[in-house]
Amino acid sequence: MFKRMAMVAAIALLGLAAMTQAGEAKKFAFIFKSTGNPFGEKVMEGYKTAIEEQGYECILRAPDLPTAEAQIMIIEELIAQRVAAIGLSANDPDALQPVLRKAKRAGIKIVTADSATNAESRDLHINQADPELIGRVEIQAAYDMAGGKGDIAILSATSQATNQNIWIEWMKKELEDPKYANMKLVKVAYGDDLRDKSTSETEALLKTFPELKVIIGPTTVGLAAAGKVLSDKGLAGKVFLTGLGLPSEMAEYIQNGVCPWMYLWNPIDLGYLAGYAAVGLADGAITGAVGDTISAGKLGRKEVVDDNNGGTEIMLGAPFRFDKDNIDEWKNVY
């Protein structure tokens, strides 16, 4: 009897040790769209902080080019490494589905942030702000800057970026209001979140549309590139710029009048929230169902809601306006 009890105790201890080792070995990864993106670097910084706060190891990856094919290769590598969860800013909403389904079959949880996949390819999405509010507020800003009339253009990231496309759809819906009868959207250009291409696309917009009054850049890379072009050409007060930008990159253009104001959220907090959601899913604290709540460290409790597109999400918060009155407070933060 004693020997049997000793054996049971030994087995229990071995099982506990194995569970502890498994817990200690648990790894969480995040893949951004591409390298060299300051916004992406801050998102990954926040994700890493959240993962390490919870006692786990973090892997950060980004391909050289913002393509689905490049992200697929990284996801395959992470599946082989048996990570517990993958955080992802997707380069395509649908092309990643086969490899992400493979990851889910392997027990890996999928959390998207910034740019989502389709609902079938993920467990949960972290949304930086209400897409409708983002789209509408950028058109409203363009209206105010242009005095209610003139041509406007959009300089987006990639044509497949889900977040950009949703915002642009809401911009177009806002433009349907009779208030904007004297404003015309002349083009949606794509800089592919690459500095050089965004620069050349901005120059092409200026050349093709000489009556252009406002450029909207709903991407940090594109907005900064456009800001430099307009500054170099001395177009402050003639062609206005607004969109979503990093304060550290845009302070110069806000101060010189090229970009009277812009919007963004804190990308560090976006990644941080994704990190807490990833651990919550992997540990079984949440399933990603509507009504689930998690304690997201310094951000407090957050609730999972319906994304109205077949999936679920957690909303970070509303976009924040940066202008001459507050940019100095933020330019050294991120």
Side-chain angles (χ1 to χ4, degrees):
M1 181 70 175
F2 177 79
K3 287 183 178 179
R4 184 178 177 185
M5 290 176 63
M7 185 177 295
V8 170
I11 291 171
L13 285 171
L14 286 171
L16 180 60
M19 288 174 63
T20 301
Q21 290 169 1
E24 291 174 350
K26 209 175 264 189
K27 298 178 182 179
F28 293 79
F30 193 94
I31 309 169
F32 197 70
K33 298 175 184 175
S34 61
T35 57
N37 186 314
F39 181 90
E41 290 167 1
K42 294 300 182 182
V43 172
M44 291 191 289
E45 177 187 326
Y47 187 86
K48 184 174 187 287
T49 297
I51 297 302
E52 292 180 347
E53 276 184 2
Q54 296 170 92
Y56 298 112
E57 182 180 340
C58 183
I59 300 169
L60 301 177
R61 299 290 303 276
D64 291 333
L65 295 174
T67 66
E69 292 76 16
Q71 287 188 322
I72 288 169
M73 292 178 64
I74 295 174
I75 294 167
E76 290 281 9
E77 293 171 5
L78 293 172
I79 293 172
Q81 293 179 51
R82 299 183 180 181
V83 297
I86 296 173
L88 174 70
S89 181
N91 282 328
D92 188 284
D94 300 313
L96 300 175
Q97 181 166 311
V99 73
L100 289 177
R101 281 185 169 177
K102 179 180 177 181
K104 292 177 77 171
R105 288 195 298 270
I108 298 171
K109 302 299 182 181
I110 306 298
V111 178
T112 57
D114 176 52
S115 184
T117 61
N118 61 44
E120 291 76 18
S121 301
R122 66 179 198 258
D123 294 290
L124 185 62
H125 178 57
I126 308 302
N127 202 336
Q128 51 268 66
D130 184 339
E132 178 178 355
L133 185 58
I134 293 170
R136 291 188 185 278
V137 79
E138 292 189 48
I139 292 296
Q140 291 161 9
Y143 178 90
D144 291 340
M145 291 176 188
K149 59 182 179 180
D151 292 345
I152 61 175
I154 298 170
L155 177 61
S156 187
T158 67
S159 60
Q160 297 83 26
T162 52
N163 55 345
Q164 305 280 317
N165 290 337
I166 292 171
W167 300 334
I168 291 168
E169 285 305 309
W170 280 113
M171 289 184 209
K172 291 176 179 178
K173 287 182 181 179
E174 177 69 12
L175 283 169
E176 292 173 3
D177 190 312
K179 169 183 176 179
Y180 303 102
N182 294 321
M183 298 193 75
K184 180 181 178 183
L185 176 60
V186 293
K187 185 172 183 179
V188 178
Y190 298 97
D192 290 348
D193 260 355
L194 300 172
R195 188 67 58 119
D196 289 346
K197 187 174 182 185
S198 296
T199 296
S200 62
E201 289 292 335
T202 302
E203 292 172 341
L205 287 172
L206 295 172
K207 184 177 180 179
T208 306
F209 306 103
E211 301 301 317
L212 192 64
K213 293 295 292 183
V214 185
I215 296 174
I216 299 173
T219 160
T220 58
V221 175
L223 194 68
K228 187 175 190 312
V229 171
L230 295 179
S231 293
D232 290 348
K233 292 183 177 295
L235 293 175
K238 299 176 182 177
V239 179
F240 298 98
L241 179 65
T242 191
L244 305 175
L246 289 169
S248 58
E249 292 188 321
M250 294 301 296
E252 174 186 352
Y253 310 126
I254 287 177
Q255 290 163 342
N256 71 11
V258 161
C259 177
W261 67 87
M262 63 168 196
Y263 302 88
L264 198 65
W265 38 88
N266 191 326
I268 299 172
D269 287 348
L270 179 62
Y272 184 88
L273 181 53
Y276 268 88
V279 172
L281 287 165
D283 288 352
I286 59 172
T287 64
V290 172
D292 279 354
T293 62
I294 60 168
S295 179
K298 66 180 182 180
L299 298 178
R301 294 207 72 82
K302 294 288 185 178
E303 183 177 357
V304 178
V305 297
D306 192 329
D307 71 353
N308 297 314
N309 197 31
T312 58
E313 65 184 12
I314 297 176
M315 195 77 70
L316 176 62
F320 182 78
R321 171 173 160 156
F322 298 92
D323 54 32
K324 284 185 178 180
D325 291 335
N326 62 22
I327 192 63
D328 285 338
E329 302 172 28
W330 291 96
K331 66 182 182 182
N332 295 321
V333 178
Y334 70 103

